[in-house]
Coordinates of all heavy atoms in Angstrom, one line a residue:
R1 N -85.8 46.2 -125.0 CA -85.7 47.5 -125.6 C -86.5 48.5 -124.9 O -86.0 49.6 -124.6 CB -86.1 47.4 -127.1 CG -85.9 48.6 -127.9 CD -86.2 48.5 -129.4 NE -87.2 47.5 -129.8 CZ -86.9 46.4 -130.4 NH1 -85.7 46.1 -130.7 NH2 -87.9 45.5 -130.7
A2 N -87.7 48.2 -124.6 CA -88.6 49.2 -123.9 C -88.3 49.4 -122.5 O -88.1 50.6 -122.0 CB -90.1 48.8 -124.1
I3 N -88.4 48.4 -121.7 CA -88.3 48.5 -120.2 C -86.8 48.8 -119.8 O -86.6 49.7 -119.0 CB -88.9 47.4 -119.5 CG1 -90.4 47.2 -119.9 CG2 -88.8 47.5 -118.0 CD1 -91.1 46.0 -119.4
Q4 N -85.9 48.0 -120.3 CA -84.5 48.3 -120.0 C -84.1 49.6 -120.5 O -83.3 50.3 -119.9 CB -83.6 47.2 -120.5 CG -82.1 47.4 -120.1 CD -81.2 46.3 -120.4 OE1 -81.6 45.1 -120.6 NE2 -79.9 46.6 -120.4
G5 N -84.6 50.0 -121.7 CA -84.3 51.3 -122.2 C -84.7 52.4 -121.3 O -84.0 53.4 -121.0
W6 N -85.9 52.3 -120.7 CA -86.4 53.3 -119.8 C -85.5 53.3 -118.5 O -85.2 54.3 -118.0 CB -87.9 53.0 -119.4 CG -88.4 54.0 -118.5 CD1 -89.0 55.2 -118.8 CD2 -88.5 53.8 -117.0 NE1 -89.4 55.8 -117.6 CE2 -89.1 55.0 -116.5 CE3 -88.2 52.8 -116.1 CZ2 -89.4 55.2 -115.2 CZ3 -88.4 53.0 -114.8 CH2 -89.0 54.2 -114.3
I7 N -85.2 52.1 -118.0 CA -84.4 52.0 -116.8 C -83.0 52.6 -117.0 O -82.5 53.3 -116.2 CB -84.3 50.5 -116.3 CG1 -85.6 50.1 -115.7 CG2 -83.1 50.3 -115.3 CD1 -85.7 48.6 -115.4
D8 N -82.4 52.3 -118.2 CA -81.1 52.9 -118.5 C -81.1 54.4 -118.5 O -80.2 55.0 -118.1 CB -80.6 52.3 -119.9 CG -80.2 50.9 -119.9 OD1 -80.1 50.3 -118.8 OD2 -80.0 50.3 -121.0
V9 N -82.2 55.0 -119.1 CA -82.2 56.4 -119.1 C -82.6 57.1 -117.8 O -82.0 58.1 -117.4 CB -83.3 56.9 -120.2 CG1 -83.6 58.4 -120.2 CG2 -82.8 56.5 -121.6
K10 N -83.6 56.5 -117.1 CA -84.1 57.1 -115.9 C -83.5 56.7 -114.6 O -83.4 57.6 -113.7 CB -85.6 56.8 -115.8 CG -86.5 57.4 -116.9 CD -86.5 58.9 -116.9 CE -87.4 59.4 -118.0 NZ -87.5 60.9 -117.9
L11 N -83.1 55.5 -114.5 CA -82.6 55.0 -113.1 C -81.2 54.6 -113.1 O -80.5 54.7 -112.0 CB -83.5 53.8 -112.7 CG -85.0 54.1 -112.7 CD1 -85.7 52.8 -112.3 CD2 -85.3 55.2 -111.7
D12 N -80.6 54.0 -114.2 CA -79.3 53.5 -114.1 C -78.2 54.6 -113.8 O -78.2 55.6 -114.5 CB -78.9 52.8 -115.4 CG -77.6 52.0 -115.3 OD1 -77.4 51.3 -114.3 OD2 -76.8 52.1 -116.3
H13 N -77.4 54.3 -112.8 CA -76.3 55.2 -112.4 C -76.9 56.6 -112.0 O -76.3 57.6 -112.3 CB -75.2 55.3 -113.5 CG -74.3 54.1 -113.5 ND1 -74.7 53.0 -114.1 CD2 -73.2 53.9 -112.8 CE1 -73.7 52.1 -113.9 NE2 -72.8 52.6 -113.2
K14 N -78.0 56.6 -111.4 CA -78.7 57.8 -110.9 C -78.8 57.7 -109.4 O -78.9 56.6 -108.8 CB -80.1 58.0 -111.4 CG -80.2 58.0 -112.9 CD -79.7 59.3 -113.5 CE -80.0 59.5 -115.0 NZ -79.5 58.5 -115.9
M15 N -78.8 58.8 -108.7 CA -79.1 58.9 -107.3 C -80.6 59.0 -107.2 O -81.2 60.0 -107.8 CB -78.4 60.1 -106.6 CG -78.6 60.1 -105.1 SD -78.0 58.7 -104.2 CE -76.2 58.8 -104.5
I16 N -81.3 58.1 -106.7 CA -82.8 58.0 -106.6 C -83.2 58.5 -105.2 O -82.8 57.9 -104.2 CB -83.3 56.6 -106.9 CG1 -82.8 56.2 -108.3 CG2 -84.9 56.6 -106.8 CD1 -83.1 54.7 -108.6
L17 N -83.9 59.6 -105.1 CA -84.2 60.3 -103.9 C -85.7 60.7 -103.8 O -86.3 60.9 -104.8 CB -83.3 61.5 -103.7 CG -81.8 61.3 -103.6 CD1 -81.1 62.6 -103.7 CD2 -81.4 60.5 -102.4
C18 N -86.2 60.8 -102.6 CA -87.5 61.3 -102.3 C -87.5 62.8 -102.5 O -86.5 63.5 -102.2 CB -87.9 61.0 -100.8 SG -89.5 61.7 -100.4
R19 N -88.5 63.3 -103.1 CA -88.6 64.8 -103.4 C -88.4 65.7 -102.2 O -88.0 66.8 -102.3 CB -89.9 65.1 -104.1 CG -91.1 65.1 -103.1 CD -92.4 65.6 -103.8 NE -93.5 65.2 -103.0 CZ -94.6 64.6 -103.4 NH1 -94.7 64.2 -104.6 NH2 -95.5 64.3 -102.5
N20 N -88.5 65.1 -100.9 CA -88.3 65.9 -99.7 C -86.9 65.9 -99.2 O -86.6 66.5 -98.2 CB -89.2 65.4 -98.6 CG -90.7 65.5 -99.0 OD1 -91.1 66.4 -99.7 ND2 -91.5 64.6 -98.5
D21 N -86.0 65.2 -99.9 CA -84.6 65.0 -99.5 C -83.9 66.4 -99.6 O -83.8 66.9 -100.7 CB -83.9 63.9 -100.2 CG -82.7 63.5 -99.6 OD1 -81.9 64.3 -99.1 OD2 -82.5 62.2 -99.4
P22 N -83.3 66.9 -98.5 CA -82.6 68.2 -98.6 C -81.3 68.2 -99.4 O -80.9 69.2 -99.8 CB -82.3 68.5 -97.1 CG -82.4 67.2 -96.4 CD -83.4 66.3 -97.2
V23 N -80.8 67.0 -99.8 CA -79.6 66.9 -100.5 C -79.8 67.2 -102.0 O -78.9 67.4 -102.8 CB -78.9 65.6 -100.3 CG1 -79.5 64.5 -101.0 CG2 -77.4 65.7 -100.6
I24 N -81.1 67.1 -102.5 CA -81.4 67.3 -103.9 C -80.8 68.6 -104.5 O -80.2 68.6 -105.6 CB -82.9 67.1 -104.1 CG1 -83.4 65.7 -103.9 CG2 -83.3 67.6 -105.6 CD1 -84.9 65.5 -104.0
S25 N -81.1 69.7 -103.8 CA -80.6 71.0 -104.4 C -79.1 71.0 -104.6 O -78.6 71.5 -105.6 CB -81.1 72.1 -103.5 OG -80.6 72.0 -102.2
M26 N -78.4 70.4 -103.6 CA -76.9 70.4 -103.7 C -76.5 69.5 -104.9 O -75.6 69.9 -105.7 CB -76.3 69.9 -102.4 CG -74.7 69.8 -102.5 SD -74.0 69.0 -101.1 CE -74.5 67.3 -101.4
L27 N -77.1 68.4 -105.0 CA -76.7 67.5 -106.1 C -77.1 68.1 -107.5 O -76.4 67.9 -108.5 CB -77.4 66.1 -105.9 CG -76.9 65.3 -104.8 CD1 -77.7 64.0 -104.6 CD2 -75.4 64.9 -104.9
R28 N -78.2 68.8 -107.5 CA -78.6 69.5 -108.8 C -77.6 70.5 -109.1 O -77.2 70.7 -110.3 CB -80.0 70.1 -108.7 CG -81.1 69.0 -108.9 CD -82.4 69.7 -109.0 NE -83.4 68.6 -109.4 CZ -84.6 68.5 -108.9 NH1 -85.1 69.4 -108.0 NH2 -85.4 67.6 -109.3
N29 N -77.2 71.3 -108.1 CA -76.1 72.3 -108.4 C -74.8 71.7 -108.9 O -74.1 72.4 -109.7 CB -75.9 73.1 -107.1 CG -77.0 74.1 -106.8 OD1 -77.8 74.4 -107.6 ND2 -77.1 74.5 -105.5
M30 N -74.5 70.5 -108.5 CA -73.3 69.8 -108.9 C -73.5 69.1 -110.2 O -72.6 68.5 -110.7 CB -72.9 68.8 -107.8 CG -72.5 69.5 -106.5 SD -72.2 68.3 -105.2 CE -70.8 67.4 -105.9
K31 N -74.8 69.2 -110.8 CA -75.1 68.5 -112.0 C -75.0 67.0 -111.9 O -74.6 66.3 -112.9 CB -74.4 69.1 -113.2 CG -74.6 70.6 -113.4 CD -74.2 71.1 -114.7 CE -74.4 72.6 -114.9 NZ -75.4 73.3 -114.2
E32 N -75.3 66.5 -110.8 CA -75.2 65.0 -110.5 C -76.5 64.4 -111.1 O -77.6 65.0 -111.0 CB -75.1 64.7 -109.1 CG -73.7 65.0 -108.5 CD -72.6 64.1 -109.1 OE1 -72.9 62.9 -109.4 OE2 -71.5 64.6 -109.3
P33 N -76.5 63.2 -111.7 CA -77.7 62.6 -112.2 C -78.6 62.1 -111.1 O -78.2 61.4 -110.2 CB -77.1 61.4 -113.0 CG -75.8 61.2 -112.5 CD -75.3 62.4 -111.9
L34 N -79.9 62.6 -111.2 CA -80.9 62.3 -110.2 C -82.1 61.7 -110.8 O -82.5 62.0 -111.9 CB -81.3 63.6 -109.4 CG -80.3 64.3 -108.6 CD1 -80.9 65.6 -108.2 CD2 -80.0 63.5 -107.4
F35 N -82.9 60.9 -110.0 CA -84.2 60.6 -110.3 C -85.0 60.9 -109.0 O -84.7 60.3 -107.9 CB -84.4 59.1 -110.7 CG -85.8 58.8 -111.1 CD1 -86.3 59.0 -112.4 CD2 -86.7 58.3 -110.1 CE1 -87.6 58.7 -112.8 CE2 -88.0 58.1 -110.5 CZ -88.5 58.2 -111.8
V36 N -86.0 61.7 -109.0 CA -86.7 62.2 -107.8 C -88.1 61.5 -107.8 O -88.8 61.6 -108.8 CB -86.8 63.7 -107.8 CG1 -87.6 64.1 -106.5 CG2 -85.4 64.3 -107.7
M37 N -88.4 60.9 -106.7 CA -89.7 60.2 -106.5 C -90.5 61.0 -105.5 O -90.0 61.7 -104.7 CB -89.4 58.8 -106.0 CG -88.7 57.9 -106.9 SD -88.4 56.2 -106.2 CE -90.1 55.6 -106.1
G38 N -91.8 60.7 -105.5 CA -92.7 61.3 -104.6 C -92.7 60.6 -103.2 O -93.3 61.1 -102.3
V39 N -92.1 59.5 -103.2 CA -92.1 58.6 -102.0 C -90.6 58.2 -101.7 O -89.7 58.4 -102.6 CB -92.9 57.4 -102.1 CG1 -94.4 57.8 -102.2 CG2 -92.5 56.6 -103.4
N40 N -90.4 57.6 -100.5 CA -89.1 57.1 -100.2 C -88.6 56.1 -101.2 O -89.5 55.2 -101.6 CB -89.1 56.5 -98.8 CG -88.1 57.1 -97.8 OD1 -87.3 58.0 -98.2 ND2 -88.2 56.6 -96.6
P41 N -87.4 56.1 -101.7 CA -87.0 55.1 -102.7 C -86.6 53.8 -102.1 O -85.5 53.3 -102.3 CB -85.8 55.8 -103.4 CG -85.2 56.7 -102.3 CD -86.4 57.1 -101.4

């Protein structure tokens, strides 16, 4: 319930990217689901 719940909301079927990735702004504009990390994923 707790950990899978968090994974389902935050990571499942998301594009997980480093905050420095230049594609983030394009994906945000397209309203694509993202999870942004401070480090390489």
Side-chain angles (χ1 to χ4, degrees):
R1 186 174 29 250
I3 301 173
Q4 184 172 339
W6 181 83
I7 289 171
D8 287 349
V9 169
K10 297 293 185 175
L11 304 178
D12 188 43
H13 284 83
K14 304 287 191 298
M15 186 59 68
I16 304 171
L17 299 169
C18 177
R19 71 173 169 233
N20 300 329
D21 197 311
V23 78
I24 290 173
S25 61
M26 180 187 71
L27 292 174
R28 280 190 173 139
N29 288 339
M30 295 172 62
K31 301 197 182 332
E32 289 293 326
L34 293 171
F35 184 88
V36 178
M37 298 179 64
V39 294
N40 237 358

